[in-house]
Amino acid sequence: MNGYRRPARLRRVQLSVPGSSEKMLAKAAASGADHVFCDLEDAVAPNAKVGARDLIAQALNGLDWGKTTRCVRVNDVTTQWCHDDIISLVEKAGRNIDTIMLTKPRTAADVMFLHHMIHQLEQKLSLERPIGIEVLIEEVQALQNVEEIASCSDRLECLIFGMGDYSASQGIDTRAIGEGGTYPGDIFHYARFRVTMAARAVGIDAVDGPLGNFKNRESYVSQAIQARSLGMAGKWAIHPSQIPWALEVFTPSAETIARARKLEAAYRDAEAMGLGAAQVDGMMIDAVTVRMVRNTLEKADLAGI
Ligand code: COA
Ligand code: MG
């Protein structure tokens, strides 16, 4: 631990972009997504991985990313690429990297590999702005170890539930997944709930993984609403079409914000009069109400609304 102070970042949508595509990297930088992760893992073929490191570094250093959080997704610690992904990207573009995302960790020790590598590189390169960590929970062992993973490093900012690899890891029957699937109820509910609990318990973000069918707005919005309902901060996009859908779900509406402000003000008035509870439009409000509406108001502040 080095006393890293986690910056508050918007993660309503995290756009995945293949690091081997110069054209898509340029599109991603201009996409207006809160967060883009330049991928070196599954979106990049093995024979393109080494070349993709340079393309990503050039994009991070050369393009205007506006307010977008710039993240690099690296290969997992069991592969031949992980250490070189980290060294190469931080050496070439460390000043323009906000976070590094680790794929397929199984234990906290896997995450600490990345933590120590970043720490060493920051010292060697005299980087002044620290680099944060995000991790995918997409292995059965990772879900078992999720509390330990969530609290292992003060650089950790976000846990993402990756349902594709998770399904493969557990041996989930693909026919069970999605609406009309063979499993009664939502097969990912437990995992999403548990990942969100682990993240919120240590004050970091939980984010929902991708939906491959980038033309299906209805399914995307329904998954995003489920994630938001659990307390997740956002959802992945694998295609620019999904960005506005995520923003719509994860940005509190003007009406929701106005209601939150009204409830908070009413509670403060009650409190000033020495009352712990009051009513607004027939609804009881108390300290719990304020705690809940603070979540909405914090999201609004972060989004600059
Ligand atoms: N980031 C940035 N730009 C993207 C993009 C992405 N993730 N996905 C598509 N685009 C661009 C395309 O290049 C295209 O640009 P153009 O209009 O200038 O030609 C435009 O958006 C429309 O794309 P479209 O033609 O509908 O799709 P496609 O066939 O080019 O790409 C995929 C479809 C699925 C191959 C592509 O969306 C993709 O690679 N997504 C990310 C995959 C990934 O990262 N997977 C790992 C994490 S789950
Ligand atoms: Mg994966």
Side-chain angles (χ1 to χ4, degrees):
M1 299 279 174
N2 327 299
Y4 177 69
R5 307 201 92 188
R6 295 178 183 118
R9 302 186 208 272
L10 279 169
R11 288 190 170 86
R12 295 169 297 185
V13 60
Q14 298 190 315
L15 175 69
S16 173
V17 58
S20 50
S21 169
E22 213 174 337
K23 180 186 142 182
M24 287 199 213
L25 284 164
K27 256 197 129 84
S31 69
D34 294 335
H35 177 291
V36 168
F37 61 98
C38 306
D39 193 23
L40 285 166
E41 203 223 18
D42 287 354
V44 179
N47 63 7
K49 285 191 194 283
V50 172
R53 291 179 189 143
D54 282 333
L55 290 182
I56 294 175
Q58 280 160 23
L60 291 171
N61 293 334
L63 299 174
D64 179 3
W65 291 79
K67 289 183 182 162
T68 298
T69 291
R70 295 154 300 176
C71 172
V72 179
R73 182 169 89 151
V74 296
N75 290 283
D76 79 78
V77 299
T78 67
T79 66
Q80 62 177 289
W81 299 292
C82 184
H83 71 288
D84 275 338
D85 285 348
I86 301 164
I87 296 168
S88 170
L89 264 299
V90 177
E91 282 192 346
K92 289 179 178 135
R95 284 180 176 76
N96 293 310
I97 294 174
D98 298 307
T99 62
I100 295 180
M101 185 187 291
L102 185 63
T103 50
K104 302 182 179 71
R106 291 170 175 80
T107 62
D110 292 346
V111 179
M112 289 313 285
F113 175 82
L114 173 58
H115 172 103
H116 290 308
M117 291 278 286
I118 294 175
H119 186 57
Q120 291 175 36
L121 287 161
E122 279 176 0
Q123 291 180 72
K124 178 176 145 192
L125 304 166
S126 304
L127 296 184
E128 278 163 18
R129 210 168 48 94
I131 295 172
I133 294 178
E134 315 198 21
V135 303
L136 272 148
I137 303 297
E138 55 181 345
E139 293 290 326
V140 283
Q141 296 98 320
L143 193 60
Q144 277 192 314
N145 296 321
V146 70
E147 288 85 12
E148 206 188 330
I149 288 174
S151 58
C152 72
S153 162
D154 54 5
R155 289 179 190 270
L156 200 67
E157 298 185 20
C158 176
L159 302 181
I160 301 113
F161 176 55
M163 57 287 273
D165 271 303
Y166 185 82
S167 298
S169 175
Q170 185 168 315
I172 288 177
D173 182 339
T174 51
R175 288 166 297 185
I177 300 169
E179 276 167 53
T182 56
Y183 189 79
D186 172 13
I187 200 158
F188 297 130
H189 172 72
Y190 172 76
R192 280 198 181 103
F193 202 105
R194 193 158 170 200
V195 167
T196 310
M197 272 178 70
R200 293 287 295 184
V202 294
I204 65 175
D205 287 337
V207 166
D208 199 36
L211 176 71
N213 185 345
F214 57 82
K215 300 205 164 154
N216 190 336
R217 180 183 188 279
E218 204 184 325
S219 291
Y220 186 93
V221 167
S222 142
Q223 284 190 9
I225 289 174
Q226 244 180 303
R228 182 189 69 193
S229 306
L230 286 173
M232 288 185 155
K235 182 166 173 66
W236 275 12
I238 53 107
H239 187 281
S241 66
Q242 296 175 325
I243 297 172
W245 304 340
L247 294 180
E248 182 188 318
V249 173
F250 290 101
T251 310
S253 68
E255 199 184 355
T256 308
I257 296 168
R259 173 96 187 142
R261 293 215 168 102
K262 181 176 173 183
L263 294 177
E264 190 181 46
Y267 178 76
R268 296 291 166 225
D269 288 347
E271 207 181 30
M273 290 189 292
L275 301 170
Q279 67 117 345
V280 174
D281 308 330
M283 275 285 296
M284 188 272 286
I285 57 160
D286 60 5
V288 182
T289 319
V290 172
R291 231 181 134 186
M292 290 194 285
V293 302
R294 280 305 324 156
N295 283 332
T296 301
L297 295 175
E298 275 165 25
K299 280 184 203 166
D301 285 348
L302 198 55
I305 305 171

